[in-house]
Amino acid sequence: MELRQLEYFIAVCEEMHFTRAAEKIGISQPTLSQQVRALEDELNTPLFDRIGKKIAITEAGLILLDQSKQIIRSLQNVKDSIHELHHVQRGSLTVGTLPSDLDYRISRLLVDYYHEYPNIHLSIFSSVEIEEQVLTNEVDLGICIMPLADDRLVRIPLCQEEYVLVVSEHHPLATRDFINLDELRHIETVMYPSGLVGRELVERCCRSRGFQLHTIMETASILSLINIVKANIGATIQPLQLIQSMKEPTLRCIRFKDEAPTRNLALIYRKDRFLGQAAQAFIRKLTDHFNTK
């Protein structure tokens, strides 16, 4: 069994089509089929069911796919580790973060990181599916609402933040310092679309009190959401620290008297992923950044 054969096998699994897989990796289709057949002969079991022109991966194939990906990752970790010995100040790092926090919370951190590590190629992606992107190796590190325990992930808590009601200075509630959570049932709100983590976190808290938010408008952009609220169209419920970081003088934050919704931000990465000095330095700066808030 050769590493090249495992790479060919993974390509077929990703495409579920021999011709497309062959084109993707730059070899002929007969050569690819021959290599997969050689794997099946060596393992003495079929890896794919051939159904006409279609294929389906077998149970044995699923086992080999999982182990093959681990082998490829381990080899890449070895290469990255050795590369670090010779290129301490070089490399690349990909980080996924929530859109709102990218816009308002960590820009200063990125500037500081660049000044200390100018030769590191840093890529930041905003996303609401960060956990999945970390698990599929699309990003090296993720900054997100604390996910459920997962044996594949390392989770580093960053901070806990309370949610507050955010209104325009002209809103009828603008002079209030505190509000009861139950009062939300009578307040028109502007929120993220249903299904997004931040929205669901607040909705769960409301459902526990026997009501749902009265949402009159939805937007996936924190900038548009805030601009709508500034125009005195509804209110929104967002993390206090996030709103404070915006420094919008026309907004008012009203805290909840009773138990407020909270979010726990965390840094996550795969346990089996090699973390070079670029990633370790970013983690240090990120934790320091939140510890000084």
Side-chain angles (χ1 to χ4, degrees):
M1 188 180 301
E2 299 178 4
L3 182 62
R4 183 184 70 255
Q5 291 175 312
L6 298 181
E7 292 173 338
Y8 292 170
F9 169 70
I10 292 173
V12 176
C13 291
E14 291 174 344
E15 299 295 328
M16 292 309 292
H17 193 280
F18 276 87
T19 300
R20 288 198 299 269
E23 292 173 352
K24 178 180 179 179
I25 57 182
I27 64 173
S28 68
Q29 187 272 328
T31 299
L32 177 59
S33 297
Q34 181 183 25
Q35 292 297 319
V36 173
R37 288 283 187 191
L39 266 179
E40 292 177 317
D41 291 343
E42 183 174 349
L43 295 171
N44 195 31
T45 187
L47 300 173
F48 298 100
D49 288 324
R50 279 78 169 177
I51 310 168
K53 293 184 178 180
K54 297 182 179 180
I55 61 172
I57 191 167
T58 64
E59 186 174 356
L62 288 172
I63 294 173
L64 180 62
L65 177 61
D66 179 64
Q67 295 299 316
S68 296
K69 287 183 176 180
Q70 290 188 42
I71 291 170
I72 298 298
R73 276 197 299 272
S74 295
L75 180 60
Q76 187 61 48
N77 286 343
V78 171
K79 292 179 179 178
D80 291 342
S81 299
I82 294 174
H83 185 268
E84 284 274 312
L85 295 175
H86 306 291
H87 302 86
V88 175
Q89 290 292 323
R90 296 188 179 276
S92 62
L93 180 65
T94 305
V95 180
T97 185
L98 296 169
S100 56
D101 292 280
L102 175 59
D103 290 339
Y104 292 100
R105 301 293 299 281
I106 65 172
S107 295
R108 180 71 251 175
L109 166 69
L110 302 181
V111 173
D112 292 343
Y113 185 86
Y114 170 77
H115 285 313
E116 189 166 346
Y117 299 93
N119 295 319
I120 300 296
H121 182 266
L122 183 62
S123 299
I124 307 291
F125 293 95
S126 63
S127 172
V128 294
E129 298 180 346
I130 297 169
E131 183 180 356
E132 181 63 24
Q133 290 180 322
V134 170
L135 288 172
T136 57
N137 291 296
E138 294 178 56
V139 298
D140 302 311
L141 306 173
I143 305 167
C144 61
I145 294 177
M146 177 76 79
L148 296 175
D150 188 317
D151 290 341
R152 297 169 293 177
L153 291 175
V154 173
R155 306 181 304 165
I156 301 176
L158 296 174
C159 65
Q160 182 179 81
E161 300 178 336
E162 67 171 299
Y163 278 72
V164 294
L165 184 69
V166 185
V167 300
S168 159
E169 61 181 348
H170 303 297
H171 193 277
L173 298 173
T175 58
R176 297 270 298 271
D177 293 322
F178 294 93
I179 191 171
N180 291 315
L181 192 64
D182 285 340
E183 292 182 70
L184 288 179
R185 71 176 75 221
H186 306 298
I187 299 173
E188 294 182 340
T189 58
V190 180
M191 298 293 292
Y192 291 128
S194 296
L196 295 190
V197 177
R199 168 74 178 273
E200 287 305 305
L201 189 153
V202 176
E203 290 281 12
R204 281 198 302 271
C205 200
C206 295
R207 285 195 294 269
S208 71
R209 301 297 185 98
F211 70 94
Q212 291 182 317
L213 288 176
H214 180 198
T215 301
I216 60 172
M217 195 178 302
E218 297 180 340
T219 171
S221 164
I222 184 64
L223 180 60
S224 63
L225 187 153
I226 292 301
N227 284 336
I228 292 167
V229 172
K230 285 170 62 179
N232 201 21
I233 300 174
T236 190
I237 301 129
Q238 299 295 329
L240 174 61
Q241 290 88 340
L242 174 63
I243 300 302
Q244 289 174 334
S245 70
M246 296 179 183
K247 296 180 171 56
E248 290 283 357
T250 62
L251 293 178
R252 299 291 181 267
C253 293
I254 307 170
R255 303 178 80 167
F256 293 104
K257 286 183 181 178
D258 35 11
E259 187 174 347
T262 59
R263 71 171 186 172
N264 294 286
L265 285 182
L267 172 78
I268 62 173
Y269 59 89
R270 286 190 64 115
K271 285 183 179 177
D272 60 0
R273 191 175 191 94
F274 169 76
L275 291 184
Q277 293 195 20
Q280 294 177 37
F282 188 89
I283 292 173
R284 288 194 299 272
K285 283 194 168 292
L286 182 68
T287 52
D288 290 344
H289 178 76
F290 278 95
N291 287 337
T292 56
K293 291 294 183 181

